[in-house]
Amino acid sequence: QVEVVQSGGGLVQAGGSLRLSCAASGSIGRIAGWAWYRQAPGGQREFVAARVSGGATNYPDSVKGRFAISVDNTDNTMYLQMNNLKSEDTAVYYCNYQARRRPGGQIYTYWGQGTQVTVSS
């Protein structure tokens, strides 16, 4: 059983910063990728940040230079540091783990419960 718990988020003024955390516990296996997504009201879930096991990161242009994903391999925790927040960053944010239970095995995806980020202008 794998449990993924998010924390952080809340209300911040435009230009401010927030850090989201996400921790996975249980038999998650070997993590191949970490990611963050967000979903604004009435919108689809969109990609925000990703990191693969080799360390490479990827961001969409909308957050590049403002958001940063980091991980702590010792306890399967990931973070999303969000700086210079804008009103359009308002959304529910979800963390995402992709992991294999055995080498070369199937990729399993695990999601956090979501956390609200609201940026006031």
Side-chain angles (χ1 to χ4, degrees), residues 22-118:
C22 181
S25 60
S27 301
I28 193 170
R30 187 176 184 91
I31 299 173
W34 299 257
W36 289 91
Y37 290 77
R38 67 186 180 188
Q39 188 166 14
Q44 294 191 347
R45 192 168 296 190
E46 63 175 3
F47 163 72
V48 172
R51 183 187 188 278
V52 295
S53 58
T57 57
N58 189 30
Y59 306 91
D61 289 343
S62 58
V63 307
K64 194 172 293 183
R66 301 189 297 121
F67 288 14
I69 184 172
S70 60
V71 304
D72 183 344
N73 289 307
T74 62
D75 61 1
N76 294 334
T77 301
M78 74 168 93
Y79 304 93
L80 182 67
Q81 178 66 42
M82 304 183 291
N83 298 325
N84 190 22
L85 282 160
K86 305 175 181 181
S87 57
E88 52 262 43
D89 295 320
T90 295
V92 177
Y93 285 69
Y94 298 89
C95 61
N96 170 282
Y97 290 84
Q98 296 192 352
R100 301 180 192 272
R101 295 175 184 172
R102 54 182 175 82
Q106 177 183 349
I107 290 281
Y108 290 86
T109 299
Y110 304 95
W111 290 93
Q113 80 277 15
T115 187
Q116 178 69 44
V117 171
T118 302

